[in-house]
Amino acid sequence: MAEENNHKNGNKYDASQIEVLEGMEAVRRRPGMYIGTTGPRGLHQLVFELIDNSVDEALAGYCDNIEVRLNKDGSVTVSDNGRGIPVDIHPQTGRPAVEAALTLLHAGGKFGGEGYEISGGLHGVGLSVVNALAKYLNIEICRDGKRWIQRYERGRIKSDLKVIGDADTTGTTVTFLPDSQIFPVREFSMEVISSRVRDLSYLNKGLRFVLIDEEAEKETVFHHEGGIIDFVSSLNKNKDLLTAAPLYLSETKDNVAVELSLQYHTGYTESIFSFANNIHTQEGGTHETGFKTALTRVINDYARRVNFIKENEENITGEDTREGLTAVLSIKLKEPQFEGQTKTKLGNSEVRGIMDSLVTEFLTNYFEENPAPARLMAEKTVKAAQARQAARKARELTRRKSALDHFTLPGKLADCASKRAEECELYLVEGDSAGGSAKQGRNPKYQAILPLRGKIINAEKARLDKLLANEEIKSIITAVGAGISDEFDLNKARYHMIVIMSDADVDGSHIRTLLLTFFYRYMRQLIESGYVYIAQPPLYKVQKGKTQQYVYDDHELDKLMKKWKTDHVSINQFKGLGEMDAEELWMTTMNPDQRTMLQVTLEDAAEAEHIFTVLMGEKVEPRREFIQAHAREVKNLDI
Ligand code: 0RA
């Protein structure tokens, strides 16, 4: 860096300015390197980056309130009551520190001070990345009794930092509009944002989040003094419980902060949610393994000691010990390593032993000090083991019979003529009436139709075990013909294209979430192989005189209205697939020459599963489309 040019003095070409421009340009040229994709996931990542910065300020102990506001113009505001980003002049550049934070890619470490920055995200480069990818970004800082503001456009300074008044509080407020040159779709999903904010509010106890939807004029507060204990209680709502309150462990060992809360219910499902540095580790990892190992060992030791398992009897398996278990595990560590297909598996090997020893000690003490609940828990897992052994015997007896069942295709399936899986498509169609149109409109040579009766999700929000008993799900399994879970065999799949075709409304979005969750859990290879798609039926039919056009989203509608002017134009909104006749459905949605199909990625499905599982049992209010938004990030495949 040229020494003589350290101070910006109107000369645009001084060294630090060049560094800034190059950094911002690098982000704009290759946004994927910084935020993964420029689809909906990357778009939402911008908001999460800002939230994570504020969460870091909270973890440093200086902030207890974070506000996230979706503004009507499509911009987002994230505001906190922390110390405010420093505004003093940075000696190396002669510019305010906040500018460095917003324009230098590696400003995080330099300006983060001694803070224990552990929240998810890009570790300090977040702010500058958001700035680079924003059409505009306004920052407001309250600090030292003053209120400062500055404006940027596409990462470039538009106005110098200036004082606009006095302030009797402190904090940072960032507002940004995602840049249309970077993001093809710029619509934020309340569901995606609130899902993340909900998690963060449980994971950071006491931290208060306010989520504001300006358009809907709706405000939601997420605030949990009990932290992950409240998380477990909420997951266990409406369940019969073995202990009055969830168990809770909070301990730090070798610089790893561990929090665990767990509670058994009388049901049979296992729900473990693990997090590392506030990131949901969907694929588990060493922290989860350490926990499970300890749980299995402590329960076996106890069950043997009190003679629930006799000397000649086999051990309780890990799976048995997790029947009816709800647990939330959250650890914070300095250098997390994320691995796995969706980078949501914690890899740090030292963590396994740390977890194991902390949990072993904790549970052993708990069992000693609380004999009554200890007994209940051990009994529950012993029963699970007995049931498993009995079920295995029963399965062995019926295996023959069920193998034959696989050949009986569901009656509702209108199968295709071709038997060459590579060219065969299976449409899972919401509702009998749309199913009827699809059957009439399809190309029967290679397109098969399986109508799904409206509500696959019942009032109970279908735990996954129940889901497998569901008739609609059963017919999907039979139609696909490749089995499920461990026994899934991709080579047996009867179609290489499985298309979810549901209405563009809340029910349709639920059905999609549920089906994706199901595929993710039980037929993951189908998604990994790129066999799962979401159909894109039009939302509107627009007519002007004799010209008629199908329109697939609101943005496109706006454009068309501007082009056609509004007079003498009629807009017909499709409320559901059922409103289209066979010919229309074929032409707009199923005909390979014209249709657009969205290929589902593993990330889409994982996110669907997360939303499904966390919201399960809770009342899900009408929300904007979620998967629709998410699936768009995959290339629009014109097949
Ligand atoms: C570095 C130092 C200080 C505050 C922050 C960073 C800070 C960053 C963000 C980002 C969003 N909200 C934030 N709040 C604070 C403070 C240093 C000091 O006051 O001594």
Side-chain angles (χ1 to χ4, degrees), residues 84 95 194 333 378 447 475 515 521 554 567:
R95 305 288 303 170
S194 58
L333 73 172
Q447 292 182 322
S475 39
L515 288 175
R521 285 247 177 139
D554 289 320
D567 42 333

Side-chain angles (χ1 to χ4, degrees), residues 12-73:
K12 275 194 249 171
Y13 301 103
D14 84 343
S16 61
Q17 265 314 92
I18 289 169
E19 188 187 338
V20 163
L21 290 177
E22 280 175 355
M24 296 287 98
E25 260 322 296
V27 177
R28 291 179 61 81
R29 252 197 322 273
R30 312 194 59 186
M33 295 246 303
Y34 300 86
I35 53 165
T37 79
T38 54
R41 184 175 309 277
L43 180 76
H44 287 85
Q45 190 59 38
L46 300 183
V47 182
F48 299 157
E49 291 302 332
L50 295 183
I51 298 176
D52 286 343
N53 280 320
S54 297
V55 170
D56 279 341
E57 183 67 357
L59 289 168
Y62 300 101
C63 154
D64 63 7
N65 198 58
I66 299 173
E67 202 177 275
V68 181
R69 193 181 288 269
L70 303 194
N71 303 308
K72 284 186 185 163
D73 69 347

Side-chain angles (χ1 to χ4, degrees), residues 50 53-54 57 80 82-86 111-113 117 127 143 172:
L50 295 183
N53 280 320
S54 297
E57 183 67 357
D80 68 54
R83 289 166 294 178
I85 301 180
F111 298 90
E117 285 176 24
L127 260 179
R143 229 186 122 89
T172 307

Side-chain angles (χ1 to χ4, degrees), residues 228-230 232-233 236 243-248 261-264 326 366:
I228 62 169
I229 301 178
D230 290 357
V232 169
S233 296
N236 273 350
T243 52
L247 281 61
Y248 178 65
S261 182
L262 65 89
Q263 186 178 38
Y264 282 93
T326 300
Y366 180 88

Side-chain angles (χ1 to χ4, degrees), residues 334-345:
K334 275 274 154 65
E335 283 176 17
Q337 290 150 21
F338 292 105
E339 306 171 344
Q341 270 172 322
T342 57
K343 289 274 172 282
T344 58
K345 181 175 184 178

Side-chain angles (χ1 to χ4, degrees), residues 299-372:
I299 290 187
N300 270 293
D301 287 354
Y302 176 86
R304 292 230 176 252
R305 191 149 51 80
V306 299
N307 229 9
F308 280 180
I309 319 176
K310 309 282 178 313
E311 221 166 300
N312 60 341
E313 288 174 337
E314 58 183 89
N315 256 1
I316 302 171
T317 67
E319 214 173 303
D320 298 333
T321 66
R322 299 190 296 272
E323 190 181 285
L325 173 70
T326 300
V328 173
L329 167 57
S330 167
I331 75 164
K332 288 173 180 151
L333 73 172
K334 275 274 154 65
E335 283 176 17
Q337 290 150 21
F338 292 105
E339 306 171 344
Q341 270 172 322
T342 57
K343 289 274 172 282
T344 58
K345 181 175 184 178
L346 187 73
N348 302 59
S349 55
E350 71 281 7
V351 169
R352 190 178 301 118
I354 295 174
M355 274 308 294
D356 188 346
S357 74
L358 286 179
V359 175
T360 300
E361 187 188 327
F362 167 73
L363 283 178
T364 307
N365 288 339
Y366 180 88
F367 275 45
E368 233 153 66
E369 289 159 17
N370 303 275

